[in-house]
Amino acid sequence: MIRRNRLFTTIALIWFLQLNNPIYAGIENQTNKWIERFTFSTPPCSGEGIHRIGGDLTHFQIVPAKLGAQLVRVSLPFIAGAFPDGLGLAVKTGDFEVLPTIRILTRHPGLPRSVRRAILTFPYTFTSHETVDFSLILHAPDQQENTIHIHEDNAKYHCSIGDTALILDGQRIEIQRKNAIAWRARLIAPAIANSTPSTLEMIENGTHYLWLRIFQFDEKWPRIIEIRADSLGTAAVQVHLQNRVPTEIIGSISPDMGWEIEGPGIDQFIVGDQQQPVNKEWQEHRFEKGKGTCIVSGCESLYFPIAPLTRRGSLRVKGNESGSEIIYHRRLQTEEVPHQYMAWRRAAFVITGPNQAPWTALLEPSHTVHIDAGYFDQVYASGAPAEYPHSPQLDEIKRYHRDAIVRSMAMGDDYGNVTGFNQAGPASDYGMNRLNHCPPIFEEYYRSGDARLRETALLWCGNFYDLSIWWGDNEGKRGFGGTRYNSAKAAGRDIKKRDTPYMWRTNYASDFCTKGYDSFLYAYEETGDPRMAVALRAQTDYAIKHVHADRGECRNIGDVIDFIRLAQWTGHEPFFNAALRLFRELRTKLSSGDVFSQGGQPIVASPPFIADDQVGYQHPFAKPYILGYGLAGLPELAETYPSEPKLRDVIRAAADCMAESQDPLGAWRYPHPRSPGMIL
């Protein structure tokens, strides 16, 4: 039995070691290193300084996706001082009051300690589809101690929540309802070569929500099996499969991957909005056209919420004497789905509890949540909504741009990657692979309440974790935790020809691509997903060591905005130090007029006509978008360090240069302000 203190996030790691196993002894160090890298830990937070005491607790609204008793799960921002550390909360609406399960995600820096973001989970019975307003009141901390029971016999994990029991046995999972087996699932993936024992990590263990991960190391195809379950009977299972098969050729293809599921009898097999027959012959649906499926059995439903986005794989269904057989292939090896070295791929299914709303591709209940922009503004300085009651054209422009952001997300093999808007069709398979445009998407969600933007930003972060962070062991700045370069072909790498549209990244990290990692704090605070905290830790560790503004790429000054935001929100001194270090490095590369070139060389006074990058590299000049990286974070750095020499001068000079070189069409010509081309 493992106990978890609900006031602090801790990790429960249960080892079932076979110490006399020589195979295990040979890979124990690899296993420990791999598990340590991907184990969850909360982001840092300083206890230095004083912040204000007291503030308004957050209000929120829910529009249910389905009526009846439903699970509400919402991540809330809290004004500094509003929710003191060590207290609990009660949720109220009308005469209804309940003590939710509370998972504290982050705290405000300084003393007295107070909660910054927390997830609240509780059941509520909705009687109509009207908006329900919920308020919070401070409450004595819930003294109920939550436990999870694990039977160590035969390396099986036994967990229970509500009326649902889970039995986790290696690659197999059983879901029981009231002591009767309802569903069985077996992972489809390459066999694990070594008998490495599993490791259990507890993320949440509350009255209403259970979230755990099982680490299973393999030298070629390690995996993490993730289970989320709630007190009303819904369970989500997801496998994260990593490719560790070494290769010099960029073009690795994924093996078969998915789930075989045995369930009760099927009442309905719904594809899109059409019902399909189910009999003793296999019925197949392919996801290539983006149509989702739902399998209904009594008052429960089986979904594959990510499958319509991947546009790959298939679902095969048939009935039998005892129930049903279901085979979900996230992908088949014959489909040649890209799976690069050290990257991850996922396959998930969700079984809803009796009469519960379906879960989304983010593995969350599909209810609509609204939180007033003012609460977010107090936490993120994201600003108030821009309202134009007398200018409908401006409101239309806002809507158009929000639609464009959503439509810039790729589907298929690179789903989630935000690449570029294509009004005529799907988003391109090629993108810049820089996450620094993701925080503005979160902030526009905070201001507008448009949940599509939240989903877009979170799916992008998930894509980045899986496919764009280099999880390998190269030495130096090309090593673990940095961002892969976005075009392996442009980097001169050998790419095995594939017909599938996919943005092949390099199998190493690029220091100047590693930016926008503050996005992972936004994402973690929205979801509590341990992968987002792992990514934040890996990318900041990499950037502190390997991202510099005086060694070939002055554009790395753009990382100041990442570090200064993270520093302000966590109070973590190394983040402040890194932000200031980057400017001090840039200061050594300034040219006359307090501006700088891309590579830090002195700016040529009278350059020739520059039509492309190759000419520009030979005649250094003040490149507008490179200066723009400086303007992203240096003004905020100046608020923290107002007396830093040259800082205000560089801000003023870069802003003047950007304003003077802006084209009448509203953008900047590339690469030089007088070049013939323009990138909008």
Side-chain angles (χ1 to χ4, degrees):
M1 182 172 67
I2 298 176
R3 302 179 184 274
R4 178 179 169 221
N5 186 331
R6 295 184 58 208
L7 299 180
F8 301 93
T9 304
T10 60
I11 300 168
L13 296 177
I14 307 302
W15 287 90
F16 298 99
L17 300 180
Q18 300 172 354
L19 297 178
N20 59 345
N21 188 329
I23 296 177
Y24 175 76
I27 64 170
E28 182 176 2
N29 290 337
Q30 289 186 63
T31 303
N32 293 342
K33 182 178 181 180
W34 182 78
I35 291 174
E36 180 182 358
R37 281 180 164 179
F38 297 107
T39 294
F40 167 64
S41 61
T42 54
C45 183
S46 171
E48 299 295 323
I50 304 295
H51 68 64
R52 70 179 185 179
I53 300 175
D56 294 333
L57 285 167
T58 310
H59 292 239
F60 60 98
Q61 293 80 41
I62 302 290
V63 178
K66 198 168 185 178
L67 301 184
Q70 300 291 321
L71 190 87
V72 175
R73 182 169 168 83
V74 56
S75 177
L76 297 176
F78 292 93
I79 299 170
F83 181 8
D85 206 8
L87 293 181
L89 295 171
V91 178
K92 287 181 60 68
T93 180
D95 296 330
F96 172 85
E97 182 175 322
V98 67
L99 296 181
T101 296
I102 302 173
R103 177 184 168 195
I104 296 175
L105 300 175
T106 52
R107 293 170 171 82
H108 289 282
L111 298 174
R113 304 311 300 269
S114 70
V115 175
R116 173 182 161 89
R117 292 294 299 259
I119 296 178
L120 276 58
T121 310
F122 60 93
Y124 181 77
T125 300
F126 293 93
T127 58
S128 76
H129 288 287
E130 298 296 318
T131 301
V132 180
D133 295 300
F134 292 96
S135 61
L136 302 175
I137 56 174
L138 292 175
H139 195 278
D142 187 358
Q143 298 299 323
Q144 180 178 355
E145 187 173 17
N146 296 294
T147 60
I148 180 170
H149 298 272
I150 301 177
H151 300 274
E152 300 184 18
D153 296 340
N154 299 317
K156 288 186 178 181
Y157 303 95
H158 293 246
C159 321
S160 62
I161 183 169
D163 293 331
T164 301
L166 302 169
I167 300 176
L168 317 173
D169 180 11
Q171 311 296 300
R172 291 177 171 82
I173 296 171
E174 289 185 3
I175 299 174
Q176 298 183 353
R177 309 291 198 199
K178 297 181 179 179
N179 299 320
I181 297 175
W183 303 86
R184 287 191 180 97
R186 184 187 71 83
L187 177 64
I188 301 171
I192 293 180
N194 300 312
S195 55
T196 308
S198 300
T199 301
L200 179 71
E201 178 185 53
M202 186 63 60
I203 304 300
E204 288 188 55
N205 181 27
T207 304
H208 300 298
Y209 202 79
L210 175 69
W211 190 344
L212 54 85
R213 302 196 298 172
I214 299 173
F215 291 75
Q216 297 177 329
F217 181 73
D218 180 67
E219 292 173 296
K220 293 183 176 180
W221 296 101
R223 70 281 318 260
I224 300 173
I225 297 177
E226 172 189 8
I227 298 96
R228 312 185 199 188
D230 66 41
S231 58
L232 298 185
T234 298
V237 179
Q238 181 167 221
V239 61
H240 305 259
L241 185 70
Q242 188 184 30
N243 176 11
R244 290 174 60 93
V245 180
T247 177
E248 294 298 322
I249 298 175
I250 296 174
S252 302
I253 295 304
S254 174
D256 291 357
M257 178 182 177
W259 295 94
E260 289 185 0
I261 302 171
E262 298 177 15
I266 296 175
D267 298 319
Q268 298 180 71
F269 175 33
I270 302 171
V271 177
D273 56 0
Q274 301 293 319
Q275 185 167 329
Q276 303 291 328
V278 176
N279 49 46
K280 293 185 179 180
E281 301 296 326
W282 286 106
Q283 306 294 317
E284 184 177 28
H285 167 68
R286 301 192 66 81
F287 292 102
E288 58 192 14
K289 295 184 179 180
K291 287 186 178 181
T293 62
C294 174
I295 295 172
V296 180
S297 176
C299 56
E300 299 182 356
S301 298
L302 171 63
Y303 290 90
F304 302 89
I306 299 174
L309 303 178
T310 66
R311 308 290 168 89
R312 293 286 197 155
S314 66
L315 184 66
R316 301 175 66 211
V317 179
K318 76 172 183 177
N320 57 35
E321 291 76 8
S322 60
S324 60
E325 298 175 58
I326 302 154
I327 300 178
Y328 167 52
H329 276 110
R330 158 64 179 87
R331 74 284 178 101
L332 292 165
Q333 186 168 354
T334 55
E335 292 180 293
E336 297 194 340
V337 175
H339 194 163
Q340 288 191 244
Y341 183 43
M342 290 294 179
W344 297 82
R345 288 291 190 180
R346 296 180 277 146
F349 66 87
V350 177
I351 299 171
T352 63
N355 300 310
Q356 292 298 289
W359 283 15
T360 68
L362 297 171
L363 301 186
E364 299 174 334
S366 53
H367 311 303
T368 300
V369 178
H370 178 71
I371 302 166
D372 188 84
Y375 295 113
F376 287 115
D377 185 34
Q378 292 279 350
V379 173
Y380 296 96
S382 50
E387 304 292 347
Y388 306 109
H390 304 298
S391 300
Q393 297 92 340
L394 292 178
D395 281 330
E396 181 60 30
I397 289 172
K398 286 196 304 179
R399 286 192 294 271
Y400 180 91
H401 277 76
R402 290 172 191 154
D403 292 343
I405 291 171
V406 174
R407 290 184 58 183
S408 295
M409 185 179 73
M411 300 293 178
D413 293 337
D414 216 344
Y415 90 90
N417 191 16
V418 174
T419 59
F421 175 57
N422 183 359
Q423 188 170 4
S428 167
D429 59 287
Y430 177 84
M432 284 302 291
N433 201 31
R434 316 283 203 274
L435 204 54
N436 50 304
H437 297 290
C438 194
I441 302 177
F442 279 111
E443 292 175 354
E444 182 60 15
Y445 157 66
Y446 298 155
R447 291 187 293 266
S448 68
D450 188 339
R452 300 176 306 154
L453 300 176
R454 176 182 183 271
E455 181 180 50
T456 299
L458 290 173
L459 289 176
W460 193 6
C461 288
N463 170 282
F464 221 84
Y465 176 97
D466 288 341
L467 305 178
S468 287
I469 295 179
W470 172 242
W471 299 112
D473 292 316
N474 303 52
E475 295 296 326
K477 71 178 184 179
R478 296 192 167 204
F480 178 84
T483 298
R484 301 173 189 247
Y485 185 67
N486 62 298
S487 177
K489 183 177 181 180
R493 290 306 190 255
D494 184 9
I495 301 176
K496 188 173 182 179
K497 179 175 172 55
R498 300 292 181 187
D499 293 332
T500 179
Y502 174 76
M503 188 177 76
W504 293 100
R505 288 80 156 166
T506 57
N507 285 344
Y508 59 80
S510 166
D511 62 317
F512 65 83
C513 288
T514 306
K515 52 175 56 73
Y517 36 84
D518 54 338
S519 304
F520 293 116
L521 183 61
Y522 287 88
Y524 168 70
E525 291 188 317
E526 279 297 316
T527 63
D529 189 336
R531 297 179 308 140
M532 301 298 99
V534 168
L536 178 66
R537 180 178 72 225
Q539 293 240 283
T540 53
D541 286 352
Y542 174 92
I544 287 172
K545 295 175 184 175
H546 302 301
V547 174
H548 298 275
D550 61 351
R551 302 171 199 184
E553 283 293 346
C554 287
R555 78 172 96 181
N556 286 346
I557 193 63
D559 283 39
V560 166
I561 188 61
D562 297 77
F563 279 126
I564 200 65
R565 277 182 181 150
L566 293 172
Q568 290 168 348
W569 296 340
T570 67
H572 190 49
E573 186 175 2
F575 295 157
F576 283 111
N577 294 341
L580 191 57
R581 167 183 62 80
L582 284 170
F583 174 71
R584 288 175 174 174
E585 291 174 349
L586 178 72
R587 194 166 57 203
T588 68
K589 297 296 180 178
L590 295 177
S591 288
S592 60
D594 295 325
V595 290
F596 50 92
S597 65
Q598 178 174 336
Q601 304 93 341
I603 291 174
V604 174
S606 300
F609 181 75
I610 298 174
D612 55 52
D613 275 326
Q614 296 309 313
V615 174
Y617 295 149
Q618 299 171 26
H619 305 276
F621 64 98
K623 205 171 190 176
Y625 93 91
I626 297 295
L627 297 179
Y629 279 126
L631 288 181
L634 293 183
E636 291 193 39
L637 186 70
E639 292 180 4
T640 305
Y641 300 100
S643 301
E644 181 65 21
K646 279 289 186 180
L647 179 52
R648 291 178 179 272
D649 298 325
V650 173
I651 294 169
R652 184 179 299 109
D656 287 345
C657 190
M658 291 285 286
E660 291 167 1
S661 61
Q662 186 175 9
D663 192 87
L665 287 180
W668 285 265
R669 294 191 172 272
Y670 186 88
H672 190 271
R674 292 189 298 277
S675 297
M678 181 183 295
I679 298 177
L680 290 172

